[in-house]
Structure formats: structure tokens, C-alpha cells
Amino acid sequence: MATSKVFAGAQVVLPTGTVDGGRVIVDGARIAGSAPVDAETVDLSGHWLVPGFVDIHNHGGGGASFTSGTVEDVLKGIHTHRLHGTTTTMASTVTGDMDGLAQRAGLLSELAEQGDIAGIHFEGPFISPCRKGAHSEELLRDPDPAEVRKLIDAARGQARMVTLATELPGGIDSVRLLAEHGVIAAIGHTDATYEQTAEAIEAGATVATHLFNAMPALGHRAPGPIAALLEDERITVELINDGTHLHPASLQLAFHHAGAGRVAFITDAMDAAGFGDGRYMLGPLEVEVAEGVARLVEGGSIAGSTLTLDRAFKRAVTIDRLPVDDVVAALSANPARLLGMYDKVGSLEPGKDADLVILDSAFELKGVMRRGEWVVDPQLG
């Protein structure tokens, strides 16, 4: 059972900045403004205390797939990422046939209704064959608004985001449809020009799916989608900070051009995250994971990642030298706002869910709490 605790002495990252020797009070499942008289004090001197991480793009982990696994598999994958600080996860699918995706949406929507996941992200099948990445080309299709609507309906109100190549026939109309239904239209796996991308943003697109990856490179005469997505204040850019998907200079370019308020660090994780090297299936495609890098067996395309958000955090502050406050925003507040959940998660404020992560001075994860219950007990007394 959750009990009242006062976490004291840590460097606490709040929306207003970092407080040295700060205090966070947990009463039951929520963060409280004052402590009951019988509250236990936990000394976190020498540690960081940050909000639980929010991952808006995740296909699985712990050897389990959100795309093809059973309910038990999906729960196993969610738990794996919770062990690494992700207290809120949106489940992402990959390209499949429409009936199969609709069936998957039904299973995932039940988990969303129970509060296990924060909703469903459909990545494909409405993406460009030229930029398909680890998606099955024979199952790709143009974004017909009627078919997009079919997936939304199958998700029973739990569809939160759809990634699509908006330059394809029906793309702009599909963006408008998604916006009308309160579903995030994300531009990704796209071969769009700068002008086509700008048109999609005007139609209502608000997210760049793993910026830089699976889209044309930034060119000085043909700036392509990257420039349009970076320059528009309405766009949140996803970044995979695993050292494989992005050169550090590309990450810096995106982070500093978009600003800390428009970046969402994601994992784009597949089954091997938190599990290990070996052979896996990503939808219908076979993936080989070697030294933590996932690639398609046929063709060699990068096939998602094995990243967990605690590793993305540590890399961002120790290698990329980004300010801790900005990294916390990219891991928690920004994705929470995007999902419309910032009233419940994404920061350490009274009234919100007691979702928090404890890190040591070297930014290694030591404790994870979700809704007042330890997922990883730091054993600090």
C-alpha cells in the first residue's frame, strides 16, 4: 500500500527550475502540498528527483511486442520500461493489414481504458515506400481518410497519434480528419518537400515522428521536411537519443533550433529493449539485434531501437551536455502536454500522480515510483 513520504535533500527538478535540497511530498497515489504528521522522511541527499518519464513512441520491450503480443506480453513490455523510469507509455504499432491493425487497436484500447497505457500511436501503414524503414512495403497504402477513420474507430477513443506521409494522396485530408477528432497527426516516414510539409502543418499536423530519421536530409536548395518541422512553433519534434539514430550534432541542431519546449525524447523501442541481443520480429519483419542496435535481417535498415529513457536522460546530460531542466522537459512535461495529460503527469506538482524517478549524482537510475507505489525501490530508508 502507498504511504505518506517526504523526499528531502535532493536536487528536485520543478517546472520553475531545479531546487537544491528540495522537498516532494507523496501522500497515497499523489503528490501533496503538505505532509501528514506520520509521514516517513526519505533522505535523498546527493541524488536527483525528477518526474516520471513519458514515452510517446514505443513498440515494446523486455522481449515483448506491443504490435503482436498478447495482453500479458504488452504488460510485460510496459513493466520493462517502468523499471527504467517510463511511468507513462503510449503503445505504438507498426504497419500491418488493416483488419489486423483494427484488431490490435481493440486489444490496446482495453489496456488504455484500464490506465496501463496512455493510448495508441499508429505508425503506418500510411507512409512512403521510399522512406519505409522497418515497415513491410507490400502492406503500405495511401492515407485514405476513410481507412484512417476505420483505425480511429477501432481504437474506441484511445487513438492518440497517427504517423503518416502527408504528401501521399489523401494525406492532407487525413490530417484534417485527425485534427477534427482530436488525434495528433504526425509527419514521418515521408518523402515530402519543404512546401508539402508546410501545407500539412497548416492543415493541423503537430508532431515530427523521429525527426531526421526516415525522411529526406536537410539540403541547402531543397530543405525538405526537416527545415519546415524545425522552424514551425506548432511542431513537437521527436528525437531518438541513443547515439545510433542521430549524430550528436544533429541532436544539438534540433534541440537548440526548436527550443527545449518543443522536443520530446522517445525510445522508438522494440522488443529487445531491456532484454538483449538476438533475433526478433517487428510486425512481419525479422530483426537482428547486435550490440544493442536493431537492424532488419533483410536490407539492414535500422529497426527501431533498444533504448530506454533513463539511458536517453544520462546521454543527454553527460555526453550532449544539455541542461538537466531542458532534458526533464523533453522526457516528461513536453510529451505529457502533447498527450493532454499534463494535469496528471509530467511534473512534480501537488495534485498530480506520484510518478517520480530518483537518479544518483552520475545520473544512474536508483528508484522509480508510479502512482505512489515503488516500481524500483531505492532502498534508501
Side-chain angles (χ1 to χ4, degrees):
M1 292 291 291
T3 57
S4 300
K5 295 181 185 295
V6 178
F7 295 99
Q11 294 193 81
V12 180
V13 181
L14 301 174
T16 50
T18 297
V19 177
D20 292 331
R23 283 173 22 121
V24 172
I25 301 162
V26 170
D27 190 12
R30 293 201 160 67
I31 297 170
S34 59
V37 292
D38 60 345
E40 173 193 356
T41 297
V42 181
D43 182 10
L44 290 183
S45 299
H47 291 77
W48 289 84
L49 186 61
V50 303
F53 309 142
V54 180
D55 193 355
I56 60 171
H57 190 151
N58 188 323
H59 300 278
S65 170
F66 298 160
T67 295
S68 57
T70 63
V71 168
E72 291 72 23
D73 289 333
V74 176
L75 291 172
K76 179 183 178 184
I78 293 164
H79 182 68
T80 296
H81 285 280
R82 285 181 187 166
L83 293 172
H84 293 274
T86 300
T87 49
T88 302
T89 302
M90 180 156 69
S92 302
T93 63
V94 295
T95 294
D97 66 78
M98 290 297 292
D99 289 341
L101 284 171
Q103 186 177 24
R104 174 66 14 181
L107 181 149
L108 292 173
S109 66
E110 290 183 21
L111 293 172
E113 288 158 6
Q114 293 167 197
D116 294 304
I117 58 174
I120 306 167
H121 164 216
F122 294 101
E123 188 180 22
F126 311 115
I127 60 176
S128 171
C130 322
R131 306 286 175 179
K132 65 182 184 298
H135 290 255
S136 178
E137 185 164 0
E138 58 267 26
L139 295 174
L140 300 182
R141 54 214 297 132
D142 290 337
D144 178 347
E147 294 200 319
V148 174
R149 178 65 187 267
K150 178 181 177 181
L151 287 188
I152 296 173
D153 290 346
R156 303 201 305 263
Q158 300 301 327
R160 294 285 176 267
M161 184 159 72
V162 177
T163 291
L164 57 167
T166 52
E167 76 278 7
L168 295 175
I172 297 299
D173 286 340
S174 292
V175 169
R176 293 195 181 102
L177 172 78
L178 292 167
E180 287 167 7
H181 285 81
V183 179
I184 297 162
I187 300 172
H189 287 276
T190 176
D191 204 39
T193 63
Y194 174 91
E195 291 76 16
Q196 288 170 326
T197 306
E199 182 185 6
I201 296 169
E202 284 302 320
T206 57
V207 167
T209 293
H210 44 54
L211 186 75
F212 296 107
N213 299 114
M215 60 182 64
L218 185 65
H220 64 294
R221 291 195 185 92
I226 293 170
L229 293 163
L230 277 178
E231 73 183 11
D232 199 297
E233 295 293 324
R234 293 168 288 187
I235 295 293
T236 297
V237 297
E238 294 182 350
L239 297 174
I240 309 171
N241 193 21
D242 61 352
T244 298
H245 279 79
L246 296 174
H247 188 284
S250 298
L251 179 99
Q252 294 284 353
L253 173 72
F255 208 99
H256 292 298
H257 194 82
R262 288 178 45 216
V263 173
F265 281 138
I266 60 164
T267 60
D268 193 16
M270 45 80 73
D271 313 19
F275 200 67
D277 290 355
R279 290 218 169 182
Y280 299 85
M281 297 302 294
L282 186 60
L285 303 177
E286 192 172 15
V287 175
E288 176 80 33
V289 179
E291 296 182 357
V293 178
R295 293 186 180 276
L296 290 183
V297 171
E298 191 172 323
S301 290
I302 294 177
S305 84
T306 61
L307 186 63
T308 52
L309 285 182
D310 58 335
R311 284 173 43 217
F313 189 121
K314 182 173 181 178
R315 181 180 178 85
V317 295
T318 62
I319 296 174
D320 302 309
R321 301 292 180 184
L322 294 170
V324 173
D325 292 6
D326 292 351
V327 174
V328 169
L331 286 167
S332 302
N334 299 344
R337 283 195 187 94
L338 194 69
L339 293 177
M341 298 179 69
Y342 191 63
D343 59 327
K344 296 178 182 175
V345 300
S347 67
L348 301 175
E349 295 178 276
K352 294 194 176 185
D353 289 352
D355 293 356
L356 52 88
V357 174
I358 299 167
L359 304 158
D360 66 16
S361 58
F363 299 100
E364 290 289 340
L365 184 141
K366 294 299 177 184
V368 180
M369 177 176 277
R370 183 174 187 270
R371 298 180 184 172
E373 301 284 352
W374 287 119
V375 180
V376 178
D377 190 335
Q379 300 292 325
L380 294 168

